[in-house]
Amino acid sequence: MSDEYDYELIQRRLDTFRRLREAGDVPALMATIHAGLSRNVGGIGHPALFEHTRVGTKRLIEEYVGELDRCLRLIAETDAPDLPLKARIEFFSGLRKVFGRSALLLSGGATLGMYHLGVIKALYESKLLPRIFSGSSAGSIVAAIVCTRTDEELPLMFDPANINMEAIERRGEGTLQRRLTRLWKTGYFFDIRVLQECIRANSGDITFLEAYNRTRRVLNITVSSSTTFELPRLLNYLTAPDVLIWSAVSASCAIPGLYAPVPLMAKTRNGDIVPWNPAGTQWVDGSVEGDLPMARLAEQFNVNHFVVSQVNPHVIPFLQTKPVAAGRRTLRRRLQYLVSSEIQHRLEQLFELGIFPQFVSRFVFMTRSLISQTYTGDITIVPSIGYTEYLKLMTNPVVVEVRANIRKAELATWEKMSIIHMHCRTERTLDSYGVRARGDR
């Protein structure tokens, strides 16, 4: 037993579930489940339970989750005359809202974004891949690839040979001299049109709504305005149903100084491609102000559990990926908070003074946004990335290296698989048995 969770409460609930199920008392079972179901009941999702020995030691929790699964199955498949179909449908619908949903958030990270494919591969093969995705900057490229493919097509994407790497390689075309010349003339190091061709070649002219109807996956892409007066946007099939995905991805990847801002493009009912915002608003890299848009996902899709694949080069060095003693962990967090809050306070003072030119104020605003953001979730997956890979952030991806990166990310995900399984198993059970209760068996 462990002091990290209320094992006595879990044991009592487990015994009650088992007794009611064996007695076949479905109405009492439904009432008991509804009264106490939550994702982290009794603290069973406490990260400390999974920090050292990640499998084989949480037998009580595993028994509890398994028994809950059997009870939900009994409720879904019962033919009791005093429990009409409507009551069962309402029961599962209510539980689904109470329990909440999981989302997979893919951070920015330039070329390191290809690591996300390994995280997705491990979750997909374990049948734990969430239906809600969010991606910013490089993460939006991978999220778009996944959310425009059906379950049957998705395994092909785990081999980079099946991705249009030729288009991706064109992203960095041109000699260093040509890039410097472009920087001198336009103020941007790379040609955004080449990036757009790359993304379009891998996702096609498909809108957010069309992708959702095709795959039932919810794609969310964060973009920021090129001005300081427009709030960041979370684009999805609800907020921007007609926006072309390749347009949103190219905007989210438009890192200031490297790529020029771009407008968002939409598809009309006739299939014509037109600007989404006729006012001419331009959009840039979404990770600047909203790398992980957890608050908006919670509001729009009832998400209360966030799995984060984090490969941002400016974030990874400051993340704690190894278990440490509680005292040291607390001291480390306090020091991080002290340093980050002091820097943020000074940047806010500089920004509010308004004594700098517009481009300097914009830089100060971006820096403040980067520091003040949250870069971790309930579960944060950080692949093992060597410092030499920082030298390749803006280089063309190579198939052999991408395959190695996918493997590294798979291994990092498997280290978290026990806690992910614990959090997501009941969620998937509710989805599955809710469908059975409606009669679609």
Side-chain angles (χ1 to χ4, degrees), residues 75-90:
I75 296 169
E77 298 181 348
T78 184
D79 294 322
D82 58 340
L83 192 62
L85 176 62
K86 181 180 179 181
R88 283 181 284 147
I89 293 176
E90 291 177 350

Side-chain angles (χ1 to χ4, degrees), residues 307-335:
V307 181
V308 174
S309 177
Q310 182 57 258
V311 294
N312 251 316
H314 65 280
V315 175
I316 293 176
F318 303 100
L319 292 180
Q320 178 63 47
T321 58
K322 301 295 183 182
V324 295
R328 292 177 56 192
R329 182 166 60 243
T330 301
L331 178 61
R332 188 175 186 274
R333 288 174 179 171
R334 289 177 178 174
L335 289 175

Side-chain angles (χ1 to χ4, degrees), residues 114-331:
M114 301 307 288
Y115 276 95
H116 295 316
L117 283 172
V119 175
I120 293 168
K121 182 174 185 287
L123 294 176
Y124 173 81
E125 292 178 346
S126 301
K127 302 186 185 302
L128 294 173
L129 189 64
R131 286 288 175 180
I132 301 176
F133 287 77
S134 173
S136 61
S137 195
S140 68
I141 298 178
V142 178
I145 289 175
V146 173
C147 292
T148 54
R149 268 71 176 182
T150 63
D151 286 340
E152 293 73 26
E153 297 168 339
L154 192 55
L156 295 175
M157 296 299 100
F158 301 141
D159 185 351
N162 295 320
I163 302 176
N164 195 333
M165 299 296 288
E166 179 181 354
I168 294 177
E169 289 169 0
R170 291 187 60 212
R171 179 183 63 180
E173 68 177 357
T175 62
L176 178 60
Q177 182 178 357
R178 289 181 60 185
R179 295 176 187 173
L180 292 175
T181 301
R182 184 186 299 114
L183 180 64
W184 175 260
K185 291 182 177 180
T186 67
Y188 302 102
F189 200 67
F190 295 109
D191 188 347
I192 189 64
R193 293 171 297 180
V194 177
L195 176 64
Q196 289 177 323
E197 291 175 11
C198 157
I199 300 167
R200 198 170 185 178
N202 282 283
S203 63
D205 290 334
I206 186 171
T207 67
F208 281 93
L209 182 59
E210 290 171 342
Y212 173 73
N213 289 335
R214 185 170 190 269
T215 68
R216 310 313 290 180
R217 294 190 178 91
V218 181
L219 173 63
N220 297 269
I221 293 178
T222 54
V223 295
S224 300
S225 173
S226 59
T227 71
T228 57
F229 304 104
E230 185 84 19
L231 293 174
R233 297 285 186 91
L234 182 67
L235 306 177
N236 52 53
Y237 80 95
L238 295 178
T239 62
D242 299 325
V243 169
L244 291 162
I245 288 177
W246 66 260
S247 169
V249 173
S250 62
S252 190
C253 291
I255 304 173
L258 296 182
Y259 291 107
V262 295
L264 292 171
M265 307 302 291
K267 184 193 293 186
T268 66
R269 293 183 179 181
N270 298 326
D272 299 327
I273 297 177
V274 298
W276 181 57
N277 190 334
T281 303
Q282 304 281 305
W283 304 90
V284 297
D285 183 7
S287 65
V288 173
E289 298 178 57
D291 192 48
L292 306 176
M294 289 182 270
R296 282 171 288 174
L297 289 173
E299 293 170 358
Q300 295 180 21
F301 299 106
N302 192 34
V303 177
N304 63 356
H305 181 243
F306 301 93
V307 181
V308 174
S309 177
Q310 182 57 258
V311 294
N312 251 316
H314 65 280
V315 175
I316 293 176
F318 303 100
L319 292 180
Q320 178 63 47
T321 58
K322 301 295 183 182
V324 295
R328 292 177 56 192
R329 182 166 60 243
T330 301
L331 178 61

